[in-house]
C-alpha cells in the first residue's frame, strides 16, 4: 500500500519524491560557467523584458480596482479618506504585487518553459546533450531558476510601484480622494518589514513557478497532446503551490 | 570494440530484448538491422547509456559501461558521438553553433580561432559549405543529417552511433550519407554502430551485421554472407519487398 503510493506515477507522493531527488541533479558544478552565464542572461532577458508589459498592465488595474473598491467601502463611514493611499500601498506590498504577478507569470513564463523543455525532450535534444556528456538537469534548468529568482523580484517591485500609481490615478480620476490625501495615506503607518515580506514571497514564488514548470517539461513523454497537458499542469500546479506557499509565508511572517 | 553480453531490456511486462550477445568491431561499420519495433533504438540507447539494461553487460573494450563511476562515464562520453533519428539539432542555434556546441561546452582551453577551424574541418568532412550561419530549419533533410554527423565527430570520437541515418531521405541522398559515415569510420578507425532497416545500407556498408528479431539475435555476419545465407528470418527481411522477391525468384528459376 505504502509502496504503491511512492511508486505509482499517478500518485502525488511519487512526483514529490522524484522532484526532490531531481533537485540534487540541478545544483551541480557547471561543466563550463561561461555557457551557463550566457544562458542565464538569455533567460533573464526572456523572463524580464518579455513580461514587462503584462505585469505593468495588470498591476495598474489591480491598484486602481483596490482604490475604487476601498473608497466605496469607506463612503459615509468614520474612516478618514486618506486611508485609501495607505490601504492600496499595504495591500499591494503585502499581498497583491507578489501573488498576482507570480500567478500571471506562472501562466506566461511557466507554461512557456514547460513547453520549451518538453519539446527539447521530445525532439531528443536532451538525449543528444546527455550523450555529449552534458548534465542536462543542470544546464537546462539551473539557468532558468537563477534567472527567475533574480528577475521576478524585480518585476514584483515594479508591480508594487505601478499598482500604487494605479490606485493614485483611479482615486484622482474618480475624485474619491484628493492628491494630497492619497500621498498623505501613502506616507502613513509605513512598516518596512512588509517590504521584506514582499521579497520573501517573490523569491519563493519565483522558485516554485520555474522549478515546477521545468519539472513538468523535463519529464514529459509521448507527443504533442502530452506536451499540451504538461504545459497546463505546469500552470495549475504552480498556481496552487504559490497560493499554498502564500498562506504559509503569511502565517509564519506575521506571527 | 563494444561488446554486449546477455543483454535484456523490459518495459513493464513487455520484454523488448531477450538476451543478446554481440561484438561491435573497431574500424568497421556495424549494423543493427530488423523490422520497425524490433528494438534497434532500444539497443542503441543501451549502448550509449540513455537507458539501462534490465540484465546483462555492456563492455567498452575493458570498461564495464553499466557500472562506470560518474567521472569515468563523463570521460568516456567525450569519446562518443551520436547522430539521432530526428537529427536533434538545436533549433535556436545556427549550423555552426550547433557543431561548435560540444567544443564550447567542454574544450575550455581551445581558442575561438581553433574552434572555428575545427568546425570548418568537420563541415568539410561532411561536404557542406556556405551554410554556417543558416538555422537547421532553413536547410534540407540531407543537409541536416550532415550537420548532425559533423556535430557528432567534432570531438574526435572513438565511437559513433547513428540511429536510422537515412530515414526520410531519397535513395540517392541516403547512399551518400551511408558512404560518408563509412568513410569517416575508415579514416579515423572508429567503432561505428548504425541502426537501419534499409536494404541498400545493408548491402553497401554492412561489414558486421546484427539482425534483431523478436528480441533475439536472429543472424549475424557480413554483407557478403547475406546472399549465401539460408536463414529464413534474414531472407524474409532482405527480400521483404515484392519487387526484390520477384527478381530473386526469377534468378532462381
Ligand atoms: N521508453 C520506452 N518505454 C516503453 N516502451 C518502449 C520505450 N522505448 C521503446 N519501447 C518499446 O520497445 C519496442 C522497440 O522499440 P524501438 O527500439 O524503438 O524499435 P525500432 O527497432 O523500430 O527502433 C517497441 O515496442 C516500443 O514500444
Ligand atoms: Mg528506431
Amino acid at each position: 500500500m505504502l509502496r504503491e503510493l511512492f511508486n505509482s506515477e499517478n500518485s502525488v507522493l511519487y512526483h514529490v519524491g522524484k522532484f526532490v531527488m531531481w533537485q540534487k541533479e540541478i545544483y551541480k558544478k557547471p561543466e563550463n560557467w561561461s555557457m551557463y552565464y550566457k544562458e542565464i542572461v538569455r533567460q533573464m532577458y526572456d523572463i524580464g523584458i518579455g513580461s514587462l508589459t503584462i505585469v505593468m498592465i495588470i498591476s495598474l488595474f489591480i491598484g486602481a480596482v483596490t482604490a475604487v473598491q476601498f473608497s466605496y467601502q469607506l463612503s459615509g463611514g468614520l474612516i478618514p479618506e486618506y486611508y485609501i493611499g495607505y490601504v492600496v500601498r499595504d495591500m499591494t506590498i503585502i499581498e497583491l504585487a507578489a501573488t498576482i504577478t507570480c500567478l500571471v507569470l506562472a501562466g506566461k513564463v511557466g507554461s512557456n518553459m514547460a513547453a520549451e523543455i518538453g519539446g527539447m525532450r521530445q525532439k531528443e535534444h536532451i538525449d543528444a546533450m546527455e550523450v555529449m556528456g552534458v548534465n542536462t538537469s543542470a544546464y537546462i534548468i539551473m539557468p532558468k531558476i537563477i534567472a527567475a529568482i533574480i528577475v521576478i523580484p524585480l518585476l514584483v517591485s515594479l508591480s508594487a510601484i505601478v499598482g500604487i500609481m494605479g490606485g493614485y490615478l483611479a482615486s484622482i480620476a474618480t475624485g474619491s480622494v484628493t492628491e494630497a490625501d492619497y500621498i498623505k495615506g501613502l506616507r502613513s503607518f509605513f512598516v518596512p518589514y512588509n517590504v521584506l515580506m514582499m521579497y520573501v514571497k517573490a523569491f519563493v514564488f519565483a522558485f516554485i513557478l520555474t522549478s515546477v514548470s521545468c519539472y513538468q517539461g523535463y519529464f514529459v513523454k509521448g507527443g504533442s497532446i502530452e506536451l499540451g497537458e504538461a504545459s497546463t499542469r505546469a500552470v495549475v500546479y504552480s498556481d496552487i503551490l504559490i497560493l499554498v506557499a502564500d498562506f504559509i509565508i503569511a502565517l509564519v511572517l506575521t506571527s | 570494440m563494444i561488446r554486449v553480453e546477455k543483454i535484456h531490456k523490459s518495459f513493464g511486462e513487455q520484454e523488448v530484448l531477450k538476451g543478446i550477445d554481440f561484438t561491435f568491431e573497431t574500424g568497421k561499420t556495424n549494423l543493427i538491422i530488423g523490422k520497425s519495433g524490433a528494438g534497434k533504438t532500444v539497443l542503441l540507447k543501451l549502448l550509449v547509456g540513455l537507458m539501462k539494461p534490465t540484465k546483462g553487460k555492456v563492455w567498452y573494450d575493458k570498461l564495464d559501461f553499466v557500472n562506470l563511476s560518474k567521472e569515468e562515464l563523463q570521460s568516456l562520453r567525450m569519446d562518443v558521438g551520436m547522430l539521432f533519428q530526428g537529427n536533434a539539432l538545436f533549433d535556436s542555434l545556427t549550423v555552426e553553433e550547433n557543431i561548435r556546441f560540444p567544443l564550447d561546452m567542454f574544450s575550455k582551453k581551445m581558442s575561438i580561432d581553433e574552434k572555428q577551424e575545427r568546425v570548418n574541418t568537420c563541415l568539410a568532412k561532411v561536404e557542406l559549405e556556405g551554410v554556417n550561419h543558416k538555422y537547421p530549419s532553413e536547410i534540407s533533410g540531407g543537409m541536416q543529417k550532415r550537420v548532425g554527423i559533423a556535430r557528432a565527430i567534432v570531438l574526435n570520437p572513438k565511437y559513433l552511433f547513428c540511429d536510422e541515418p537515412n530515414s526520410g531521405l531519397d535513395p540517392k541522398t541516403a547512399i551518400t550519407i551511408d558512404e560518408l559515415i563509412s568513410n569517416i569510420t575508415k579514416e579515423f578507425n572508429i567503432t561505428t554502430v548504425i541502426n537501419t532497416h534499409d536494404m541498400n545500407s545493408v548491402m553497401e556498408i554492412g561489414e558486421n551485421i546484427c539482425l534483431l528479431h523478436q528480441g533475439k539475435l536472429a543472424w549475424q555476419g557480413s554483407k557478403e554472407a547475406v546472399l549465401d545465407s539460408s536463414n529464413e528470418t534474414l531472407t524474409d527481411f532482405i527480400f521483404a519487398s515484392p519487387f526484390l522477391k520477384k527478381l530473386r525468384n526469377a534468378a532462381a528459376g
Side-chain angles (χ1 to χ4, degrees), chain B residues 5-234:
Chain B
E5 275 175 18
K6 303 201 175 52
I7 207 123
H8 286 257
K9 180 67 186 176
S10 310
F11 298 99
E13 297 285 286
Q14 186 193 6
E15 221 182 339
V16 176
L17 301 179
K18 304 172 188 166
I20 295 192
D21 292 276
F22 194 78
T23 304
F24 301 93
E25 292 166 20
T26 310
K28 288 195 176 171
T29 43
N30 302 276
L31 263 52
I32 302 171
I33 64 174
K35 290 187 197 139
S36 265
K40 302 185 292 294
T41 301
V42 170
L43 182 54
L44 206 67
K45 285 188 172 172
L46 291 174
L47 290 179
V48 297
L50 286 171
M51 286 179 184
K52 279 211 181 294
T54 318
K55 270 195 293 188
K57 294 226 179 246
V58 179
W59 296 96
Y60 273 68
D61 295 315
K62 300 231 150 34
L63 285 177
D64 179 357
F65 183 65
V66 183
N67 296 314
L68 286 183
S69 72
K70 276 246 154 92
E71 293 72 34
E72 288 171 316
L73 182 62
Q74 183 66 26
S75 83
L76 181 60
R77 287 262 186 251
M78 299 299 112
D79 292 332
V80 171
M82 180 158 178
L83 173 66
F84 283 81
Q85 189 163 358
N87 303 321
L89 297 176
F90 309 135
D91 17 51
S92 62
L93 302 181
T94 62
V95 163
E96 187 175 298
E97 289 165 339
N98 260 288
I99 300 171
R100 212 177 51 217
F101 184 88
L103 295 174
D104 284 340
M105 205 61 157
F106 297 109
S107 308
K108 286 173 231 175
K109 297 206 182 74
M110 228 179 185
S111 73
I112 294 179
D113 290 341
E114 284 171 316
K115 285 183 191 168
Q116 190 62 45
E117 199 182 312
R118 180 76 198 132
V119 168
N120 289 338
T121 312
C122 290
L123 274 169
K125 270 268 137 3
V126 298
E127 293 154 21
L128 268 183
E129 268 168 48
V131 295
N132 291 43
H133 302 293
K134 292 220 155 108
Y135 284 91
S137 60
E138 297 169 345
I139 58 177
S140 72
M143 286 164 127
Q144 288 177 6
K145 287 283 178 213
R146 287 170 193 266
V147 176
I149 295 171
R151 186 178 68 181
I153 62 171
V154 74
L155 291 175
N156 278 321
K158 289 195 200 131
Y159 310 94
L160 179 63
F161 300 89
C162 308
D163 195 359
E164 310 251 357
N166 42 27
S167 70
L169 300 179
D170 63 275
K172 212 164 176 178
T173 313
I175 287 171
T176 60
I177 295 288
D178 280 348
E179 282 170 353
L180 192 59
I181 296 171
S182 170
N183 291 344
I184 289 169
T185 306
K186 296 291 169 245
E187 186 175 346
F188 301 104
N189 194 37
I190 55 185
T191 309
T192 300
V193 181
I194 304 167
N195 263 357
T196 185
H197 57 234
D198 181 7
M199 283 323 311
N200 292 323
S201 301
V202 175
M203 300 317 291
E204 281 294 319
I205 58 167
E207 291 181 296
N208 182 30
I209 303 166
C210 154
L211 171 65
L212 293 185
H213 185 66
Q214 296 179 340
K216 298 247 184 204
L217 175 67
W219 184 84
Q220 59 179 310
S222 66
K223 63 183 179 193
E224 289 80 14
V226 166
L227 293 177
D228 299 333
S229 169
S230 56
N231 182 301
E232 260 185 47
T233 319
L234 181 69

Side-chain angles (χ1 to χ4, degrees), chain A residues 198-220:
Chain A
M198 177 179 90
Y199 283 119
V200 170
K201 286 186 178 182
F203 194 80
V204 172
F205 297 170
F207 174 77
I208 290 177
L209 84 87
T210 30
S211 56
V212 168
S213 304
C214 291
Y215 175 83
Q216 294 298 341
Y218 191 81
F219 292 105
V220 79

Side-chain angles (χ1 to χ4, degrees), chain A residues 116-137:
Chain A
E116 180 189 325
I117 299 172
M120 291 177 74
R121 166 68 72 198
Q122 292 181 342
K123 285 185 279 179
E124 298 186 306
H125 291 183
I126 294 184
D127 284 349
M129 287 188 195
E130 284 285 336
V131 172
M132 287 174 197
V134 178
N135 174 356
T136 53
S137 299

